[in-house]
Amino acid sequence: MGLDQTLYIEDARLADLSYHYHSYSSNEGEDGLPRLVLKDWRKHPDLHGLMTNMAIGKGLVEKRDDFNCVPLHLDGDDCQRVLLEIASHQLPKTQGFFFGDSGVYFETSSVAHDIATFTEAIVWCDEGFTVTYNSWW
């Protein structure tokens, strides 16, 4: 057990795209729509802390412990906020029994990968797609 997280797009229009990125995995979402997974994380608690704050701010959940298996839809502004907080090393320090520790996150190449992921997410949003973050622990 532990914190698992994913960032994806679920949209019928994905089936019609004539291009695919080999770095993405695509499959079918729970509602039968094509799903394009932008990134999966295992125990990235500080990112989850930011997403939890966003979910509370959007009224999706009332308490931090309620943000489990709750899809959080992100628009371009939301993705920009995440990108800026990652780039400026401002992710909120987050801990939980199943979350692990982000430890040396800002000293690793993970930061660059996350910046690239959310930069790509902004592009998808600009194209009219909704990016979704989900997690389970």
Side-chain angles (χ1 to χ4, degrees):
M1 291 188 81
L3 175 62
D4 291 300
Q5 303 145 271
T6 190
L7 190 72
Y8 61 89
I9 299 164
E10 230 174 51
D11 193 296
R13 293 173 293 168
L14 291 172
D16 297 331
L17 295 178
S18 60
Y19 57 91
H20 294 280
Y21 296 97
H22 297 292
S23 61
Y24 297 131
S25 61
S26 60
N27 53 36
E28 197 170 277
E30 292 178 17
D31 56 4
L33 291 173
R35 176 182 286 184
L36 187 64
V37 177
L38 301 176
K39 177 81 172 169
D40 288 315
W41 294 273
R42 174 85 172 137
K43 296 188 178 184
H44 192 339
D46 296 350
L47 176 64
H48 184 70
L50 175 59
M51 297 299 189
T52 301
N53 292 345
M54 292 172 77
I56 291 170
K58 289 177 180 251
L60 289 176
V61 296
E62 292 182 17
K63 301 180 301 192
R64 299 185 73 73
D65 287 345
D66 293 339
F67 190 53
N68 184 23
C69 298
V70 177
L72 173 62
H73 302 294
L74 305 172
D75 62 20
D77 290 338
D78 295 327
C79 292
Q80 184 68 33
R81 174 183 171 191
V82 175
L83 179 66
L84 291 173
E85 294 210 23
I86 291 169
S88 64
H89 298 208
Q90 296 298 313
L91 291 176
K93 183 71 176 158
T94 305
Q95 298 176 351
F97 182 75
F98 296 111
F99 291 7
D101 183 12
S102 39
V104 296
Y105 168 73
F106 287 113
E107 300 170 16
T108 67
S109 63
S110 296
V111 173
H113 291 181
D114 289 349
I115 287 172
T117 297
F118 282 96
T119 299
E120 182 70 21
I122 291 167
V123 172
W124 282 102
C125 290
D126 288 348
E127 294 291 324
F129 292 88
T130 299
V131 174
T132 302
Y133 170 86
N134 207 338
S135 61
W136 51 99
W137 43 274

